[in-house]
């Protein structure tokens, strides 16, 4: 069985805003009702405010960069994660996406950060977030995820280092932008001929590409590592149970149906990484990333005794 677990009132609000405000402002549901974001600047930290009370400070991407090393691993929750020995991954190198937070403590002793972009994950797995995400951890969170957490328990955010994942095309309290309008802002971006684009300044926003991995990789590239490794970014088998899901209790995912679009972003990520001399490695033998030239690297695969 598949669930989204978004409360009915949230789905109703989303539909109502789309009908009343039109496509340009339908994303207002991400912050309504009650969420206010004070943006980070060079002079000060920002803040997350919910129902007129400050919930938590907001940090810039430089906090992630300062905590990172020459290696960053972006870890998705695709079934192939179970094929890798994650205990061999260096501490402080993993950005864990969605359900990959279940790896925290064991086998991933200390992650670099966690990243959650879809509010449905909060509604479905907030208890897992409570259990695994410890005080002081860097959390890359979208506007909608920040608001959903505040609806569940705003106090939970107070001791986390939150960095905003803002959708540069559908930003907080700004009408939907065209790519031409984004260019006019002067934000450093790179584009491909397939309508994929990446932001080189994630504090100004990121391009969302159908998977939180696309957003996390824009932050990873900003950190200027020598190597970025990809675990569990399977895409083609996204409708199968994720490695942490039990039996048939599977959350809905539209990733596999959006494969071509997602791969256009990964092709651009591959090219930008190459231009910056960043080694991009794929640790999933079943990943659709094989289609864009990211060959399987088996260095973390479980080894059978005697072989």
């Amino acid at each position: 069985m598949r669930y989204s677990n978004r409360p009915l009132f949230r789905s109703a609000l989303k539909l109502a805003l789309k009908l009343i405000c039109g496509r340009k402002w339908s994303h207002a549901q991400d912050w309504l009702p009650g969420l206010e974001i004070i943006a980070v600047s060079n002079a000060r930290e920002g803040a997350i405010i919910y129902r007129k009370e400050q919930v938590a400070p907001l940090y810039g991407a430089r906090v992630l960069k300062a905590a990172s090393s020459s290696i960053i691993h972006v870890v998705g929750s695709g079934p192939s994660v179970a094929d890798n020995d994650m205990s061999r991954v260096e501490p402080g190198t993993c950005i864990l996406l969605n359900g990959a937070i279940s790896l925290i403590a064991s086998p991933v002793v200390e992650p670099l950060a966690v990243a959650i972009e879809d509010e449905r994950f909060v509604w479905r797995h907030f208890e897992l977030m409570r259990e695994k995400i410890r005080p002081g951890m860097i959390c890359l969170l979208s506007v909608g995820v920040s608001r959903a957490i505040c609806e569940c328990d705003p106090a939970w955010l107070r001791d986390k280092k939150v960095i905003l994942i803002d959708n540069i095309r559908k930003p907080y309290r700004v009408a939907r932008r065209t790519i031409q309008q984004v260019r006019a802002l002067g934000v450093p971006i790179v584009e491909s001929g397939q309508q994929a684009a990446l932001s080189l300044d994630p504090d100004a926003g990121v391009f969302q590409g159908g998977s939180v991995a696309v957003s996390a990789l824009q932050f990873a590239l900003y950190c200027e590592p020598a190597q970025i490794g990809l675990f569990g970014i399977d895409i083609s088998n996204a409708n199968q149970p994720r490695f942490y899901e039990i039996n048939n209790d599977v959350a809905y995912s539209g990733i596999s149906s959006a494969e071509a679009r997602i791969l256009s972003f990964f092709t651009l990520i591959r090219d930008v990484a190459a231009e910056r001399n960043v080694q991009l490695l794929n640790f999933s033998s079943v990943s659709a990333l094989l289609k864009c030239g990211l060959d399987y690297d088996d260095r973390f695969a479980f080894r059978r005794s005697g072989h």
Side-chain angles (χ1 to χ4, degrees), residues 164-178:
L164 188 67
I165 303 175
D166 200 10
N167 185 341
I168 202 166
R169 295 284 307 273
K170 294 185 284 185
Y172 170 73
R173 290 204 173 176
V174 177
R176 182 191 291 255
R177 295 168 174 151
T178 64

Side-chain angles (χ1 to χ4, degrees), residues 169 179-180 183 189-200 207 209 214 260-272 275 292:
R169 295 284 307 273
I179 190 69
Q180 292 82 6
R183 287 193 210 106
I189 66 172
V190 289
E191 300 175 66
S192 74
Q194 296 178 295
Q195 299 303 308
L198 303 175
S199 168
L200 303 179
F207 288 90
V214 171
R261 176 171 177 257
I262 295 170
L263 289 183
S264 71
F265 279 87
F266 273 96
T267 298
L268 182 57
I269 290 165
R270 177 202 66 194
D271 294 345
V272 171
E275 290 170 4
C292 53

Side-chain angles (χ1 to χ4, degrees), residues 24-307:
K24 280 195 171 184
W25 282 103
S26 61
H27 62 289
Q29 74 96 22
D30 288 344
W31 62 84
L32 293 176
L35 185 72
E36 182 181 352
I37 300 289
I38 297 177
V40 174
S41 71
N42 291 331
R44 57 166 171 74
E45 295 174 352
I48 297 174
I49 296 170
Y50 184 65
R51 300 195 184 279
K52 307 299 182 183
E53 293 189 11
Q54 181 162 329
V55 171
L58 194 63
Y59 297 88
R62 59 184 175 270
V63 169
L64 179 70
K65 187 173 185 176
S68 66
S69 63
S70 62
I71 298 174
I72 293 177
H73 295 119
V74 176
V75 185
S77 52
S80 71
V81 168
D83 298 331
N84 289 291
D85 184 356
M86 300 302 296
S87 67
R88 293 165 47 211
V89 177
E90 299 89 337
T93 62
C94 291
I95 300 177
L96 303 175
L97 314 180
N98 296 338
I101 66 173
S102 64
L103 300 172
I104 294 173
S106 178
V108 176
V109 176
E110 189 66 38
L112 169 60
V114 303
I116 304 173
E117 190 171 80
D118 188 338
E119 71 170 276
R120 290 174 297 180
F121 184 84
V122 178
W123 297 115
R124 185 170 173 78
H125 294 295
F126 190 55
E127 291 308 311
L128 178 64
M129 293 168 64
R130 285 188 195 275
E131 175 190 352
K132 291 292 187 176
I133 303 175
R134 299 190 295 268
M137 282 188 176
I138 297 173
C139 299
L140 309 178
L141 306 176
S142 70
V143 176
V145 163
S146 299
R147 188 257 311 134
I149 291 171
C150 287
E151 290 186 74
C152 292
D153 181 8
W156 183 84
L157 279 174
R158 286 181 184 146
D159 56 9
K160 312 302 186 298
K161 292 182 178 177
V162 180
I163 298 173
L164 188 67
I165 303 175
D166 200 10
N167 185 341
I168 202 166
R169 295 284 307 273
K170 294 185 284 185
Y172 170 73
R173 290 204 173 176
V174 177
R176 182 191 291 255
R177 295 168 174 151
T178 64
I179 190 69
Q180 292 82 6
Q181 289 171 322
V182 174
R183 287 193 210 106
L185 294 173
V187 178
I189 66 172
V190 289
E191 300 175 66
S192 74
Q194 296 178 295
Q195 299 303 308
L198 303 175
S199 168
L200 303 179
D201 179 8
D203 283 332
V206 299
F207 288 90
Q208 293 186 354
S211 165
V212 64
V214 171
S215 298
L217 279 160
Q218 288 168 80
F219 281 92
L221 287 167
Y222 166 83
C223 292
E224 300 182 301
Q227 182 185 105
I228 297 175
L230 305 173
F231 289 92
I233 313 297
D234 297 349
I235 304 171
S236 57
N237 61 4
N239 287 326
Q240 295 177 21
R242 298 151 179 84
F243 75 90
Y244 65 94
E245 290 176 323
I246 300 172
N247 301 322
N248 290 320
D249 186 21
V250 182
Y252 170 77
S253 171
I255 287 179
S256 59
S257 61
E259 179 179 315
R261 176 171 177 257
I262 295 170
L263 289 183
S264 71
F265 279 87
F266 273 96
T267 298
L268 182 57
I269 290 165
R270 177 202 66 194
D271 294 345
V272 171
E275 290 170 4
R276 296 181 161 215
N277 295 314
V278 178
Q279 188 179 24
L280 192 62
L281 302 174
N282 167 35
F283 301 125
S284 169
S285 63
V286 297
S287 176
L289 299 179
L290 298 168
K291 299 175 184 178
C292 53
L294 292 174
D295 295 336
Y296 171 56
D297 187 306
D298 70 351
R299 72 184 68 185
F300 288 102
F302 281 107
R303 307 295 183 188
R304 294 181 181 178
S305 59
H307 291 270

